[in-house]
Amino acid sequence: MDMLVLGATLALVIGVVLGMLGGGGAILTLPMLVYVLDVEPRAAIATSLFVVGVTALVSLFFHARRGHVRYRVGALFGAAAMVGAFAGGRLAHFVPEEVLLVVFGATMVVTAIFMLRGRGEAPADRRELRVERALLLGFAVGCFAGLVGAGGGFLIVPALVLFGGLAMREAVATSLFVITLQSFAGFAGHAAHAHLDPVLVASVTACAALGSVAGALLGKRVSPENLRRVFAWLVVAMGLFMLGKQLPLPLLVLVAALALGVITRPWAAGLPGRPAER
């Protein structure tokens, strides 16, 4: 019972993160289920997809009321993501659990690097996302999300900002629309070979949904640039945490050093006392 209470409390935090940032819910849900509540990885992946799908749907309502959801882009991206998520969910049955967790963590770190080095807004000549690009990106993101049990927000938000030309607030809101679609599709792909605990699923989902309401309300008080940076650093931290559970310490230190080196390089030239480049 104590573990269930702890899980419900952490689920509130997960909901706040998802509602505020349009992603990150599965980044916290999957480690919580596996490492805190001792849920076996395949069941944790399926549970994570269901929890994130419901939570994203609740949070989407509040963002939609403010007019930030780009439904055309979201529908194209989401349709392809649903197909990819279902395929990824079925494919996961044939991939070792340790491999799934390592891929999950590594992808989070790489994605965060792109977010921290990229620009918060796309230039004016890239404001429209072409249909073929939306379908390709959606399928790729959905396949990965379904494979490892992520809602995919940590991939969808960067894709919509960097390739789709959406402002950060639009990307956050639209990602919730896509997350809802692909999470349920991914869950359907996993449901056939996962044994779920109905009490755990219901309690975590309810608390995460409640937290998402608070997150959606808090999100409008934070600047888009701060949202982007907080989101990216959260992804870095959780990605390294996941890798730390699966990789030997020397390799983890090497990965962390490389990631931090790449992240900090763009701003190194502006540090006090550093000579200007010719």
Side-chain angles (χ1 to χ4, degrees), residues 109 113 116 233 236 240 254-266:
V109 173
I113 290 173
L116 286 167
W233 281 112
V236 169
L240 292 176
L254 177 61
V255 171
L258 288 173
L260 293 175
V262 174
I263 290 170
T264 57
R265 185 179 176 184

Side-chain angles (χ1 to χ4, degrees), residues 102-180:
V102 169
V103 171
F104 187 95
T107 303
M108 285 194 289
V109 173
V110 172
T111 301
I113 290 173
F114 278 104
M115 283 297 289
L116 286 167
R117 295 193 61 176
R119 298 174 56 179
E121 303 285 345
D125 61 350
R126 290 172 56 192
R127 297 301 296 176
E128 290 298 327
L129 180 61
R130 294 195 302 270
V131 172
E132 63 273 16
R133 178 179 286 181
L135 295 176
L136 180 60
L137 285 173
F139 180 82
V141 170
C143 188
F144 175 82
L147 182 68
V148 301
F154 67 91
L155 292 173
I156 298 169
V157 173
L160 293 177
V161 170
L162 300 176
F163 303 110
L166 272 63
M168 186 62 188
R169 292 197 189 282
E170 292 177 335
V172 167
T174 305
S175 76
L176 291 168
F177 179 47
V178 178
I179 288 169
T180 301

